[in-house]
Amino acid sequence: MGISYTLENVLLGSSLLGVVAGVVGCFALLRRQSLLGDALAHAALPGVCLAFLLAGSKESLYLLAGAMATGIAGALFVLLVVRWTRVKEDAAIGIVLSVFFAVGIVLLTRIQRLPGGNQSGLDRYLFGQAATIVEEDLMVMAILGGAVLLVVALVYKELKLLCFDRAFGASLGFSMRGLEVLLTCLLVAVVVVGLQTVGVILMVAALITPAAAARQWTDRLGAMVLLAGVLGGASGAIGTILSATAPKLPPGPTIVLVSSAVLVASLLFAPRRGMLWAWLEERALRSRIRRENLLKDLYRVGERERAWDRFVPRPALMGLRGQGALEIERSAGHLVAAGLAERSGDALRLTAAGLAEAAQVVRKHRLWELYLARRLELPTDHVHRDAEAMEHALSEEAVDGIEELLGFPKEDPHGRLIPARRRP
Amino acid sequence: MSSTVVILLVGSFVAASCALVGSFLVLRRLALLGDAISHAVLPGIVVAFLLTGSRAPLPMVLGAGCLGVFTVFLVEVLNRSRRLQEDASIGVVFPALFSVGVILVSSLAAQVDLDTDCVLYGDIAYAPSDVLDVGGVPIGPKALWTTGAALVVDALLVLLLYKELKVVSFDPALASSIGFSPVLVHYLLMAAVSLTVVASFESVGSILVVGMLVVPPATAYLLTERLGVMLLLAVAIGVGSSAAGYAFARWYECSIGGAMAAAAGLAFVASALASPRHGLLARYLKHRRLGARLAGHLVLLHLSGRAAEGERRGLGPRDLEARFRWGRVRTARVLGRLEAQGLIEPAAAGLRITPAGERAVEQAGTAALADRR
């Protein structure tokens, strides 16, 4: 075995937390209660201190029980404040978070000033001190974490209803309020599992970041929950290993940064939802619009001069829509490469294939103009701008339909010929 | 200046400046953005520290101010990209930035005179001993200057932009239609929040800052309907809590910042219970009063109906108990009150309605009809 006994414990502990927090975090994320987890985690601190003061020992079972008690008290407080006063949920969460944590700090600093209190090591619950995890801690964490996963598996369908359609769930006879309470208890249990690895302050990231990353990859709850568990577990393991290899890298924050990196990658690269994909799609669309506009310009110059076989010099094209030479050159390059246009010096003309393609763009434009003028009775001097946009969006089938609807017209509202349907 | 005075002044400055900007956060339901900012400024502070190698306030304010505005911006970008909801955006952004800060602090601990404890709960106890020098001349405790400056800036912001902040808080649509940008006001407010957080951060720690940003304004929100009064009350509650917290911390020998925030929490609980209009106690009493009035009306209505049917001998308490299923004690209380008001009177077989009672029934009926209309 290459890894030491301590590292093995730590690794198991943080992966376990990652999995459990990722799974439960999904439901918190979907219910827009991400920050409730933050408040519950902070609320666990006074419990740890109180348990130490009352039991006089730092047996993790006592401390975790204390954390659970005040965590639930914090959740209850949020619930009561929102239900019974005019204070809104965000402020209620902020109040629980800061006041419970402040009470925890008061007790913590008090304990540190007690004789021998400095050795209590309670401050490891602030940021987590994974290195101090021993086998008994791991047992407690495993039992608690296993119980949480089991409960999620048992009430999975009901939780799904809670997230997506409360009213329907209630009409089926499930107690939605009871489920809310159950979910809150699950959150508290996760917080307790994570106390020793990431600590109370960064707990919210363990809950939410893997879930937010998983959300980018799928629209199905089951897949999202599984993926969040995997991403959370992997972030926990990688973060722990990183912090073990570098001397002064605390594990809690390292784990958070690893999962944040996973989130950034997911936001950028996840198929369909990723920002990179959106950007590429938009770029491709813009480039197509520019190409189609150039085709249309060449077509209209040829139409005016009654000859499409003459080369059109670049300055003449630049005048048409105020484009720069570079912009035209880029679209022209695409057209030439696709065999739709040919070059002579800086002048350009359509090939036979290009002429057919350009005619289709012009056809869409003019038919849409006519449709707006006849069917919506817009004035003819208002229809051009709208057609400029629609010519890039309409499919050929849709345009054929419009042509039929209008009774196969010959001319657009400005008296110009409408090109014919593409020959198969 | 004695150290008690310095600590009390710094605590009051922090409380007052946090209350001013925090009130708008609470009104605009942005309380947790304040929380996020107060955590996320940490890397800014550390980087400023590393670059200048000193604890001079100005670079720190700049570094942290940048991070604060950056946090708001990042949350907004994520939120607007529709890939994450607002709460999740906040929940992923600030832990990441805070982690960067903690890692910087712990890996550079040798060069940086900061530790994670002081980041979290600060050390207002050291505020009196950290004296600011200008050109070698000591001009008083640094924390006093930084928190005082933040208070002046916040007070100016609120005084100068009072109307604008008010409109943006209560009716952003109106704000843009009468010609000033809610976005600009929003970012000004966020910059002020960052500045306040930074100025307070080093002396009192991030948790006290969050507590002071959210708790006193929420407490004041329970006590009044007017913005101006709310601001003043929030300031008073904040200052009061910091004084009370200090006294407690001296006696209990614990973190001063923690005790101040905990005292503010106590103030919140007290006003949630006892606020004259919105407190739980007031609501409970009102509920009971309404219940009692309703019970009286029901009895009168019943008696009046029986009288109209020709029942002249009256009804005994037993009959009424059976009719309304209230139990003996409550029935006796309701009847006692009605008799004292002269609305019912003893009759041969128990009680019957008086003419005054009949008039009361009639009035209640018209009032109900008017309500329905």
Side-chain angles (χ1 to χ4, degrees):
Chain A
M1 287 287 282
I3 49 175
S4 71
Y5 170 72
T6 327
L7 184 58
E8 195 183 303
N9 278 341
V10 177
L11 209 54
L12 279 174
S14 43
S15 322
L16 182 74
L17 164 70
V19 173
V20 179
V23 166
V24 177
C26 286
F27 300 101
L29 180 91
L30 291 172
R31 299 207 60 231
R32 304 187 188 186
Q33 286 190 326
S34 306
L35 295 165
L36 186 62
D38 196 23
L40 300 188
H42 282 73
L45 185 65
V48 171
C49 300
L50 274 178
F52 178 79
L53 281 174
L54 291 180
S57 92
K58 49 176 179 172
E59 190 86 28
S60 61
L61 200 61
Y62 294 124
L63 301 189
L64 297 188
M68 200 163 226
T70 49
I72 289 175
L76 217 62
F77 190 91
V78 172
L79 220 69
L80 285 178
V81 167
V82 173
R83 173 83 181 71
W84 289 107
T85 76
R86 66 203 291 242
V87 170
K88 310 296 182 292
E89 191 173 22
D90 64 315
I93 289 177
I95 291 168
V96 165
L97 186 144
S98 55
V99 173
F100 275 67
F101 191 74
V103 171
I105 291 293
V106 164
L107 295 173
L108 187 66
T109 45
R110 171 71 181 170
I111 289 168
Q112 280 169 345
R113 266 164 229 187
L114 291 175
N118 247 337
Q119 279 81 51
S120 65
L122 291 189
D123 47 352
R124 70 190 159 114
Y125 292 104
L126 290 176
F127 293 107
Q129 268 304 308
T132 57
I133 295 181
V134 294
E135 210 161 318
E136 291 93 82
D137 300 335
L138 210 55
M139 282 298 288
V140 176
M141 290 165 68
I143 291 170
L144 204 52
V148 168
L149 291 182
L150 187 69
V151 171
V152 170
L154 286 178
V155 294
Y156 174 74
K157 268 195 204 134
E158 287 81 353
L159 287 177
K160 193 173 184 174
L161 280 172
L162 182 67
C163 291
F164 295 112
D165 200 341
R166 262 188 84 102
F168 181 56
S171 77
L172 291 180
F174 294 111
S175 160
M176 288 293 130
R177 186 142 282 263
L179 277 172
E180 265 174 12
V181 173
L182 179 69
L183 184 57
T184 310
C185 290
L186 290 178
L187 279 171
V188 173
V190 173
V191 165
V192 170
V193 172
L195 274 180
Q196 283 170 301
T197 34
V198 298
V200 299
I201 296 168
L202 297 172
M203 197 58 219
V204 62
L207 278 168
I208 298 308
T209 311
R215 175 70 190 89
Q216 309 306 316
W217 295 89
T218 173
D219 287 332
R220 304 192 58 84
L221 179 64
M224 177 180 165
V225 169
L226 288 179
L227 189 60
V230 171
L231 291 178
S235 308
I238 295 171
T240 309
I241 292 170
L242 276 181
S243 83
T245 49
K248 279 182 180 166
L249 226 44
T254 312
I255 294 172
V256 171
L257 283 189
V258 171
S259 63
S260 301
V262 171
L263 172 62
V264 170
S266 307
L267 284 170
L268 290 177
F269 304 123
R272 299 216 318 272
R273 274 175 80 101
M275 293 182 185
L276 185 74
W277 294 99
W279 181 74
L280 283 178
E281 257 169 36
E282 197 182 306
R283 218 179 78 132
L285 178 67
R286 280 213 196 119
S287 157
R288 183 165 68 83
I289 288 175
R290 273 197 306 268
R291 282 198 313 270
E292 289 183 355
N293 281 342
L294 186 58
L295 281 174
K296 195 179 59 180
D297 290 347
L298 286 167
Y299 182 94
R300 291 190 55 188
V301 171
E303 187 179 48
R304 205 167 51 220
E305 298 180 355
R306 295 167 200 288
W308 280 296
D309 52 359
R310 277 185 224 156
F311 280 97
V312 185
R314 196 164 59 199
L317 287 171
M318 282 160 65
L320 288 176
R321 36 183 99 235
Q323 287 173 303
L326 248 154
E327 239 174 304
I328 290 191
E329 202 39 54
R330 201 161 44 166
S331 309
H334 286 301
L335 292 186
V336 171
L340 299 176
E342 46 198 12
R343 251 194 252 267
S344 152
D346 71 349
L348 214 59
R349 78 169 176 196
L350 292 169
T351 62
L355 187 60
E357 206 57 44
Q360 288 310 306
V361 180
V362 173
R363 174 179 153 80
K364 285 175 188 171
H365 182 102
R366 292 185 180 167
L367 275 169
W368 185 251
E369 280 190 341
L370 194 64
Y371 176 77
L372 289 182
R374 277 214 203 146
R375 288 290 160 133
L376 305 186
E377 298 179 358
L378 293 181
T380 50
D381 53 343
H382 277 57
V383 294
H384 174 74
R385 219 158 56 154
D386 202 60
E388 276 291 293
M390 280 302 278
E391 67 193 15
H392 307 293
L394 285 171
S395 70
E396 287 186 14
E397 289 76 19
V399 167
D400 292 348
I402 289 173
E403 184 183 33
E404 202 177 317
L405 200 70
L406 296 175
F408 298 95
K410 292 276 173 281
E411 291 181 349
D412 77 357
H414 311 290
R416 286 179 293 232
L417 276 181
I418 295 172
R421 207 175 273 216
R422 193 196 287 272
R423 258 181 301 244
Chain B
M1 232 185 297
S2 82
S3 63
T4 301
V5 174
V6 172
I7 291 176
L8 280 176
L9 273 179
V10 170
S12 307
F13 287 173
V14 169
S17 52
C18 285
L20 286 178
V21 290
S23 293
F24 294 101
L25 291 180
V26 167
L27 285 174
R28 300 186 50 202
R29 305 189 184 190
L30 295 174
L32 294 166
L33 209 50
D35 174 36
I37 291 176
S38 69
H39 284 83
V41 294
L42 179 60
I45 292 182
V46 182
V47 168
F49 215 78
L50 286 177
L51 290 180
T52 60
S54 79
R55 294 168 75 113
L58 202 60
M60 282 203 171
V61 168
L62 285 179
C66 289
L67 256 290
V69 174
F70 177 65
T71 307
V72 176
F73 173 75
L74 212 58
V75 167
E76 212 145 277
V77 165
L78 281 177
N79 190 20
R80 208 169 289 166
S81 79
R82 312 233 173 152
R83 286 169 178 87
L84 288 178
Q85 308 273 6
E86 185 170 21
D87 62 320
S89 311
I90 294 178
V92 299
V93 167
F94 85 81
L97 291 171
F98 193 64
S99 296
V100 170
V102 172
I103 287 178
L104 281 177
V105 169
S106 63
S107 59
L108 303 166
Q111 297 129 47
V112 182
D113 182 21
L114 267 177
D115 59 18
T116 41
D117 289 358
C118 112
V119 165
L120 277 183
Y121 44 96
D123 236 329
I124 200 171
Y126 294 143
S129 55
D130 190 5
V131 172
L132 189 65
D133 284 339
V134 173
V137 184
I139 55 166
K142 189 175 80 181
L144 211 52
W145 286 97
T146 50
T147 54
L151 177 57
V152 169
V153 171
D154 289 341
L156 280 178
L157 179 84
V158 171
L159 282 177
L160 294 178
L161 292 181
Y162 184 75
K163 258 190 229 150
E164 283 79 358
L165 283 167
K166 188 173 183 175
V167 176
V168 169
S169 303
F170 294 103
D171 196 346
L174 175 67
S176 42
S177 72
I178 56 180
F180 63 86
S181 153
V183 178
L184 182 67
V185 176
H186 176 68
Y187 270 91
L188 270 178
L189 180 65
M190 290 305 148
V193 171
S194 309
L195 177 84
T196 310
V197 166
V198 179
S200 323
F201 199 91
E202 215 199 338
S203 39
V204 299
S206 61
I207 285 308
L208 176 55
V209 177
V210 181
M212 286 296 169
L213 274 175
V214 180
V215 185
T219 310
Y221 183 61
L222 289 173
L223 297 173
T224 175
E225 315 289 320
R226 306 193 58 86
L227 178 61
V229 180
M230 176 176 162
L231 287 171
L232 292 178
L233 269 176
V235 169
I237 292 164
V239 171
S241 313
S242 68
Y246 177 65
F248 178 80
R250 280 294 288 269
W251 170 73
Y252 194 60
E253 291 183 30
C254 64
S255 152
I256 298 172
M260 288 173 167
L266 221 55
F268 176 81
V269 171
S271 81
L273 289 178
S275 155
R277 278 197 66 170
H278 302 290
L280 292 186
L281 201 64
R283 284 172 56 151
Y284 172 74
L285 288 178
K286 189 176 166 193
H287 186 77
R288 268 188 54 153
R289 216 166 40 238
L290 280 177
R293 239 177 62 195
L294 183 66
H297 280 313
L298 285 176
V299 169
L300 285 181
L301 212 57
H302 186 58
L303 289 177
S304 153
R306 298 304 292 270
E309 285 164 17
E311 172 70 70
R312 288 278 165 255
R313 298 178 328 115
L315 287 170
R318 287 282 154 70
D319 301 326
L320 290 167
E321 253 178 70
R323 171 75 180 77
F324 295 107
R325 301 181 186 201
W326 279 337
R328 191 176 276 169
V329 181
R330 186 168 177 203
T331 311
R333 198 167 54 214
V334 172
L335 294 179
R337 206 161 32 224
L338 286 175
E339 201 173 344
Q341 289 169 327
L343 301 176
I344 55 177
E345 60 191 8
L351 295 156
R352 70 170 175 224
I353 191 162
T354 62
E358 289 286 8
R359 275 199 300 281
V361 169
E362 211 167 293
Q363 269 168 18
T366 3
L369 276 178
D371 272 358
R372 194 167 294 174
R373 234 174 267 140

